[in-house]
DNA sequence: ACAAAAAATGACTATATAGTCATAAACATC
DNA sequence: GATGTTTATGACTATATAGTCATTTTTTGT
């Protein structure tokens, strides 16, 4: 139907998560969706484009919404940090197959585009962690930030793997608290001057993503706030599902290299039909589609 | 020459580390070694056997020797633990390409044998960590062992990745100390009853490797001790290099599915020529080649 | 120097699969 | 319901590569 594209993405994720990129053929994917191979190629010019689209589609779903929702409250820093992890883990549970694929590092050889995507993703993870550390401990934590961030991301990633492979469901909330608790212990030890930092800026340069280098990146904080406000309103509605579908589509479109402005405008129009959303939708629209003089 | 097999393994590791298993062809490997494709198949019956042999060969080199040498001293538990990490990291630096391949999880589809190898490997890692935790903190650490072990292995693995990908050489000694320091902080916090454990035996069953299920595994502790004693003696010799070559060869042979007993006996004979090694060599020989009534 | 044995070679086979495109089915419009 | 247009199909092409094996080269023994 209308979302055959999505069906293809979903089937492809399942198969690639299970068998890996090279051992999943386009024919298999086509058979799984129930369309012909030719159709696949009318949606995705090549297998590589298909996997890139998968990453674009799901990275969004899992990470960005989690970032956004995580910020969506006025909790004190410690609890907010834990909540953010929780939301991440919830997203991971929801999109297990994608995360499996992601963790297995499945990809077409060395696609430039994909590498860029991963690099930006990792950079965002670190920026996000840094922001939280500063919120929690102030600037005095900065000399130890790399060690803390490195250990945090490694613990985070490994629990993620555990969630994905485990039969038992690990409770996301408890896990979020647990991780923050451990970081806190390590951070306080550093602050008390008991441990010496091991990593420094120089060494970690490859993991830094300049906030200013990438336009899309610079405005991310503002965009995040706008998303945050909108989602909050939608949550309060009865037919939230419908509006989430619309925002998902907006989100998807805005990720494309050349988003279709008319499509975006149209989607925002749909949101504005619900008057309680109109204001917030407008703010987000401004963020994503700045006025013509750009 | 004599070690064309080894040359093939080395070339294969380099290529697979760089391009991945599926994107490395037997032809490429052959070209890199400078032999024909046909020759490859006289050493390894299939591509799958080749990659299995790679794992068997290097896992040995990187992990077992590190375990052994790590135990090879009478340091107090804390320092010994740090030293063991150090030795591991040194091994990792030495066999960067292999570790790259290992981390990327390169392998033939789902080879039964390879999965077994990995499972045992991971089990040993956890057993090793558990032993060290008990040495450090006594039995009272057991309720928290899974959380500590899980975080430790995730930190360990991620620093391993950093070592491999980083241009700068991270000093293995400092890194070993650093990791043990962080574990210590977390452990003490658990022992003081400030944190609640998150993982339990039930949940972590897939990661437990029964010490008794696998014969080779049961005797590992004793074998380790025997290796330890022998290495120590060799270290004290002037021409240690030669004897290390012999022990390496023994080590390699003993890992094969069907070690050639005569080869082993001969190699041990060489060791016994140096009288200061004779006794220790005998003990190890007993471990690796128990008397005929088996 | 020769013959027999062992080792190495690379052209060849079988198979898998990304991507194409002429044809067919579905749909739209009058 | 006839005609034109869009969309879907799957047989087909081109290519890559694991694995084989008859032939050639090297080594060994006398």
């Amino acid at each position: 139907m209308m979302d055959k594209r999505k069906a293809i993405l979903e089937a492809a994720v399942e198969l690639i998560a299970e068998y890996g990129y090279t051992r999943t053929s386009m024919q298999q994917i086509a058979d799984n969706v129930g369309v012909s191979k030719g159709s696949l190629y009318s949606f995705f010019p090549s297998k590589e484009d298909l996997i890139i689209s998968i990453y674009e589609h799901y990275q969004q779903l899992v990470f960005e919404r989690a970032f956004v929702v995580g910020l969506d409250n006025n909790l004190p820093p410690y609890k907010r940090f834990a909540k953010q992890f929780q939301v991440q883990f919830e997203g991971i549970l929801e999109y297990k197959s994608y995360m499996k694929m992601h963790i297995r590092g499945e990809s077409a050889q060395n696609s430039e585009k994909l590498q860029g995507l991963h690099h930006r993703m990792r950079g965002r993870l670190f920026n996000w962690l840094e922001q939280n550390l500063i919120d929690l401990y102030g600037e005095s934590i900065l000399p130890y930030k790399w060690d803390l961030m490195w250990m945090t991301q490694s613990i985070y990633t490994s629990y993620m793997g555990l969630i994905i492979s485990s039969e038992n469901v690990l409770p996301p909330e408890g896990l979020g608290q647990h991780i923050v608790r451990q970081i806190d212990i390590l951070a306080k030890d550093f602050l008390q001057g008991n441990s010496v930092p091991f990593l420094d800026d120089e060494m970690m340069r490859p993991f830094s993503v300049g906030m200013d280098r990438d336009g899309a990146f610079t405005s991310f904080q503002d965009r995040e706030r706008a998303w945050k406000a909108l989602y909050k309103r939608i949550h309060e509605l009865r037919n939230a599902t419908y509006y989430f579908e619309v925002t998902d589509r907006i989100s998807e479109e805005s990720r494309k290299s050349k988003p279709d402005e008319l499509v975006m405008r149209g989607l925002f129009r749909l949101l504005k039909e619900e008057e309680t959303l109109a204001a917030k939708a407008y703010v987000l629209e401004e963020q994503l589609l700045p006025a013509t003089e750009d």
Side-chain angles (χ1 to χ4, degrees), chain A residues 68-84:
Chain A
V68 171
V69 176
L71 287 169
D72 183 9
N73 59 58
N74 300 309
L75 294 170
Y78 189 96
K79 287 195 172 167
R80 180 160 39 119
F81 200 15
K83 182 78 190 295
Q84 280 172 290

Side-chain angles (χ1 to χ4, degrees), chain A residues 181-209:
Chain A
R181 175 97 187 87
Q182 308 305 315
I183 300 168
D184 190 45
I185 296 162
L186 297 176
K188 280 179 177 150
D189 184 75
F190 273 123
L191 287 174
Q192 281 161 22
N194 295 328
S195 289
V196 210
F198 193 76
L199 305 173
D200 57 41
D201 285 333
E202 170 58 24
M203 198 173 270
M204 303 306 277
R205 200 178 302 285
F207 298 93
S208 304
V209 174

Side-chain angles (χ1 to χ4, degrees), chain A residues 102-160:
Chain A
H102 176 81
I103 281 190
R104 284 182 54 169
E106 293 299 341
S107 75
Q109 56 257 7
N110 292 321
S111 156
E112 279 275 311
K113 200 168 172 185
L114 219 43
Q115 272 176 286
L117 214 65
H118 284 143
H119 184 256
R120 254 173 293 139
M121 202 54 222
R122 210 175 38 188
R124 260 182 50 192
L125 175 61
F126 278 114
N127 285 330
W128 170 66
L129 289 174
E130 181 171 359
Q131 193 52 56
N132 273 289
L133 288 179
I134 293 174
D135 290 350
L136 274 168
Y137 308 107
E139 303 268 322
S140 58
I141 200 71
L142 289 178
Y144 319 106
K145 74 171 187 184
W146 284 116
D147 290 272
L148 285 170
M149 279 157 55
W150 189 255
M151 285 188 283
T152 306
Q153 71 84 23
S154 78
I155 292 173
Y156 163 66
T157 310
S158 79
Y159 275 106
M160 191 162 93

